[in-house]
Amino acid sequence: MSHTPLPLTALELLAPARDADTGIAAIDHGADAVYIGGPAFGARQSAGNTMDDIASLAEYAHRYNARVFMALNTLFTNEELPRARSLAFDAAKAGVDVLIVQDMGLMAGPLPDIELHASTQCDIRTPEKAAFLEKAGFSQMVLARELSLAEVAACRAALHSARIEYFIHGALCVSFSGQCYISEAITGRSANRGACAQLCRLPYDVYTESGEQIARRSHVLSLRDNNQTDNLEALIDAGVSSFKIEGRLKDLVYVKNITAWYRQKLDAIIARRPELSRTSDGVSTFSFTPDPEKSFQRSRTDYFVHGRQFEKPYELAQLESPKNTGSPVGRCERVEPGEILVRPAAGVSLANGDGLTYLGDDEEVHGLAVNRADPAGRGLVRLTLRNRRELPEGLRRGMTLMRNLDRSFVRELSGESAVRRIPIVMTFLVEDDALTLIVTDGRECAEAHVAMDLDAPSNPERNRETLIRNLGRLGDTLYTASDIFVPEDLDVFVPASVVNMMRREAVDALTKMREEARVRPGRAPVDDEAPYPDRILGFAANVANDAAREFYERHGARVTAPAFEIKPVEKADLMTCRHCIRAALKRCPKMLKAFPELLEKTPREAFRPEPLVLVNSSGERFEAIFHCKADPCFMTITHADDASGSRSAG
């Protein structure tokens, strides 16, 4: 199968699929492609699916020329590699269009002739790494989430035909993907093998090296959620072609809502810029108004897409809680056991079953489950809580209430909330006692013919109107008529039964032609002589099997240590992050120029980039080390007992 990459100007909205039903919903709500986990070896261990389910999803997606990606992106041991190869062939047989891969051991083959995408677990941060992976046979690069627009553009400039994929929404890992070993080190659950224990979402006490506590039970490693709504066009101009929504563990309502939101945003850009197109067919019509504020979110950030901006407040971490805190909906006016009085914000309607949150005086996020919402006069709403006896802890008059569960919105999206149809043009012709119907989707063109005796209509105007109406009755087919052309001077009577037969025949023929015309691109060309950008590779190269070692050696790199999962490394950097705890706690020295007022509360010596010690509720101690002189600067996390002050790069 020849490799025919998608045009770089064809934009792809890539949505997550927890299962086949979620994937089908994503397609209905406008996704050009979906990514899903197979029976094993996906980077979300609990999000596996059978090949039969994936095959049914692929069949549905292909009706719209949408694609299905299967995640095969964990590390494999020598014993697991044969099964991983077998799953790759099973996936191709099931109709999967793309395999998402991390482990280079898989590249030695045999593999089916199928497109390969380099997972974000490959830690693609540089143009050199991206260029090498293209030469190794990858058609698309899932760049590190931390990259700025300039860094994205540099990666794109290093490629020939490979496309750039970029995360635009959802959860953010605090460490560079593929470079996080803290879960494996502490719990034996490897992030690189799909079993991350998410220690980054825990609260930590933070101390200076001298023992001064500067934060208590603070979620200093828990990032806000990614939201690139305002940067889509800038990302396009930087070279991004595939826009990825995170969330293979998210529910159906989340997938529907967020997919529809970005579908509308990308469509608006495409409508303004004729050089752009989308990679799949069909138009989705929604029965609701998409709103990301109504789905799971830990507040929002656009992360480092504009680089590190020291002149702006640092708002990357959600220090109070890793939970879904929701968006503001009103102000508390009165608190009683089991009941509160609320003044809703403008345009907000509170309902039975809503979930609310608030930040208490203890700086913890608390939740409330609403049993009933009743008008209380003067613009107030009385909320009867599910727990009717206790006084909500730490809630008092004047506090802002957030809503993290909008019951009315969930109910609205629980049923059918979108219809996707492919626009077609229908042309009806009359020639020599014969009727012809031509239908086209802009690429394929199908026809239906009927030869019959033709009589003049008793009412020509009504006859033509009835014919147009009957032609447009496409019902539950894939199609909707964008234009129907019928001669203005139509002078023959066409029975409804004949029109219906011709319409069905033409539409069926068009569907068959679309299926036959669909081509699945094969694997990109491979350059076995391409040198790997680095000559020496340690444990962070994640080499877990002999085939991966041979891959790197074939490309001129020497592997000096196996993956951390195979042989743990003492004194290892367990995380490598662009996020900075010092900046989150307003103790970054580079912030002082823009915010000199910080010195009013904190002495200047506290801004020295010395290591900080993190202690979780289990007593485990870690050290955060700040590499301030690097460009861009970064932070590493290691075991406190293994660290040395001499490692500080401040």
Side-chain angles (χ1 to χ4, degrees):
M1 190 179 296
S2 62
H3 178 64
T4 52
L6 291 166
L8 297 175
T9 53
L11 307 184
E12 174 180 72
L13 178 58
L14 177 57
R18 183 174 62 183
D19 50 33
D21 289 342
T22 313
I24 288 171
I27 298 295
D28 286 342
H29 288 73
D32 299 302
V34 295
Y35 62 103
I36 189 170
F41 306 129
R44 293 291 183 271
Q45 196 175 79
S46 57
N49 293 273
T50 68
M51 281 301 177
D52 286 343
D53 286 342
I54 292 175
S56 67
L57 172 59
E59 181 183 3
Y60 188 85
H62 293 165
R63 299 175 188 176
Y64 301 96
N65 265 329
R67 303 196 296 167
V68 173
F69 302 179
M70 194 182 89
L72 198 62
N73 59 339
T74 64
L75 299 180
F76 315 120
T77 64
N78 284 328
E79 294 74 23
E80 292 169 336
L81 196 53
R83 188 186 174 203
R85 293 195 196 286
S86 178
L87 280 179
F89 281 93
D90 291 344
K93 195 178 300 182
V96 167
D97 301 279
V98 168
L99 294 177
I100 306 172
V101 174
Q102 172 189 190
D103 194 320
M104 295 300 134
L106 201 62
M107 305 298 287
L111 280 176
D113 191 12
I114 189 172
E115 210 173 286
L116 302 179
H117 291 184
S119 170
T120 188
Q121 297 294 119
C122 291
D123 186 31
I124 310 170
R125 289 185 252 168
T126 66
E128 294 78 13
K129 182 81 168 280
F132 170 78
L133 290 171
E134 180 179 35
K135 292 175 182 176
F138 290 96
S139 302
Q140 192 153 297
M141 312 294 154
V142 190
L143 297 187
R145 294 168 171 89
E146 291 81 359
L147 297 197
S148 67
L149 291 169
E151 290 170 312
V152 171
C155 289
R156 170 81 282 281
L159 302 174
H160 294 285
S161 61
R163 290 158 53 89
I164 295 293
E165 182 179 315
Y166 195 85
F167 280 93
I168 58 167
H169 197 94
L172 287 167
C173 295
V174 67
S175 175
F176 285 103
S177 294
Q179 300 298 292
C180 186
Y181 307 99
I182 194 168
S183 178
E184 169 69 23
I186 303 303
T187 70
R189 293 171 53 183
S190 167
N192 279 319
R193 287 172 57 78
C196 180
Q198 295 196 322
L199 300 183
C200 55
R201 300 297 181 187
L202 297 178
Y204 290 88
D205 294 334
V206 183
Y207 299 87
T208 65
E209 284 192 309
S210 63
E212 177 195 359
Q213 185 171 9
I214 60 175
R216 176 186 172 278
R217 288 187 55 79
S218 182
H219 297 268
V220 290
L221 295 175
S222 182
L223 298 183
R224 298 183 179 196
D225 280 0
N226 188 17
N227 186 320
Q228 300 295 341
T229 296
D230 298 331
N231 299 315
L232 295 177
E233 197 153 9
L235 287 166
I236 292 169
D237 293 336
V240 175
S241 299
S242 184
F243 298 83
K244 187 171 194 170
I245 299 167
E246 181 275 337
R248 279 199 289 129
L249 297 178
K250 296 293 199 305
D251 61 28
L252 192 64
V253 171
Y254 174 94
V255 171
K256 287 182 175 184
N257 182 33
I258 302 304
T259 303
W261 172 260
Y262 284 102
R263 178 74 274 150
Q264 290 184 338
K265 298 302 177 184
L266 287 174
D267 283 350
I269 295 171
I270 291 170
R272 286 190 287 101
R273 296 179 57 169
E275 78 276 16
L276 301 175
S277 61
R278 57 182 291 190
T279 60
S280 67
D281 303 328
V283 176
S284 296
T285 304
F286 312 121
S287 62
F288 67 102
T289 301
D291 183 355
E293 298 294 321
K294 295 185 176 182
S295 285
F296 185 100
Q297 60 163 334
R298 303 176 182 93
S299 299
R300 62 181 284 182
T301 175
D302 64 2
Y303 211 26
F304 292 107
V305 74
H306 295 293
R308 195 185 295 276
Q309 299 174 294
F310 293 105
E311 69 279 6
K312 292 186 177 181
Y314 189 88
E315 296 179 339
L316 269 64
Q318 183 166 285
L319 301 178
E320 300 82 12
S321 174
K323 299 175 183 177
N324 174 20
T325 52
S327 54
V329 290
R331 194 179 80 153
C332 178
E333 296 292 347
R334 192 173 71 203
V335 184
E336 296 178 1
E339 182 179 290
I340 60 175
L341 209 59
V342 177
R343 186 175 299 281
V348 171
S349 177
L350 298 171
N352 301 346
D354 280 354
L356 304 179
T357 67
Y358 61 95
L359 182 63
D361 290 333
D362 56 1
E363 297 188 351
E364 296 283 345
V365 173
H366 300 268
L368 300 172
V370 176
N371 193 39
R372 285 183 56 84
D374 299 300
R378 295 177 298 170
L380 300 175
V381 176
R382 177 176 289 103
L383 301 181
T384 303
L385 306 179
R386 195 163 296 167
N387 188 335
R388 298 191 178 190
R389 295 183 179 180
E390 295 184 8
L391 198 68
E393 182 182 357
L395 179 63
R396 52 186 171 75
R397 187 176 186 274
M399 283 186 171
T400 298
L401 291 167
M402 316 278 281
R403 178 165 59 190
N404 63 356
L405 175 60
D406 186 333
R407 180 60 64 186
S408 297
F409 189 71
V410 170
R411 192 177 300 116
E412 189 177 7
L413 270 70
S414 61
E416 184 178 285
S417 50
V419 174
R420 181 165 177 167
R421 295 287 183 262
I422 299 168
I424 58 174
V425 175
M426 310 178 79
T427 303
F428 191 84
L429 303 173
V430 181
E431 301 174 300
D432 300 329
D433 293 332
L435 306 175
T436 299
L437 175 62
I438 304 171
V439 297
T440 179
D441 62 357
R443 288 191 301 269
E444 311 303 326
C445 187
E447 299 182 7
H449 303 277
V450 171
M452 59 181 293
D453 294 330
L454 303 174
D455 299 321
S458 57
N459 186 327
E461 184 177 349
R462 183 182 299 169
N463 175 61
R464 185 172 181 275
E465 291 174 355
T466 302
L467 174 59
I468 292 173
R469 187 166 58 250
N470 287 336
L471 287 172
R473 287 177 172 165
L474 291 162
D476 292 331
T477 68
L478 298 176
Y479 309 103
T480 185
S482 59
D483 281 301
I484 300 175
F485 295 103
V486 174
E488 292 284 348
D489 57 350
L490 182 70
D491 60 355
V492 298
F493 171 71
V494 185
S497 59
V498 174
V499 178
N500 294 339
M501 179 188 67
M502 295 179 71
R503 185 190 63 235
R504 285 193 296 268
E505 184 179 324
V507 164
D508 289 346
L510 178 63
T511 300
K512 185 176 181 181
M513 293 174 73
R514 286 174 53 83
E515 291 172 355
E516 292 173 348
R518 190 178 184 282
V519 176
R520 182 175 68 190
R523 184 177 173 184
V526 176
D527 179 0
D528 285 325
E529 304 300 319
Y532 192 75
D534 301 316
R535 307 264 56 88
I536 304 295
L537 300 179
F539 77 92
N542 297 329
V543 177
N545 54 70
D546 294 338
R549 179 186 295 274
E550 291 166 5
F551 170 88
Y552 288 113
E553 290 176 350
R554 186 166 65 251
H555 290 281
R558 183 163 67 90
V559 179
T560 60
F564 191 95
E565 290 80 0
I566 302 300
K567 184 180 179 181
V569 178
E570 292 186 5
K571 300 182 180 180
D573 290 334
L574 301 179
M575 286 183 176
T576 304
C577 320
R578 276 201 184 170
H579 165 60
C580 174
I581 292 175
R582 280 195 165 273
L585 297 178
K586 298 184 174 62
R587 291 197 173 210
C588 167
K590 296 181 180 181
M591 297 171 65
L592 287 176
K593 184 176 181 180
F595 302 100
E597 65 272 14
L598 293 174
L599 291 172
E600 296 174 6
K601 295 183 178 180
T602 309
R604 183 175 291 275
E605 55 266 25
F607 289 87
R608 293 172 184 161
E610 296 171 349
L612 296 175
V613 177
L614 312 182
V615 183
N616 64 22
S617 59
S618 299
E620 289 151 344
R621 297 166 57 84
F622 305 95
E623 190 163 24
I625 301 169
F626 305 94
H627 305 262
C628 300
K629 293 181 180 179
D631 185 21
C633 52
F634 66 99
M635 173 183 77
T636 52
I637 303 290
T638 187
H639 277 298
D641 294 338
D642 293 339
S644 156
S646 64
R647 296 181 63 199
S648 174

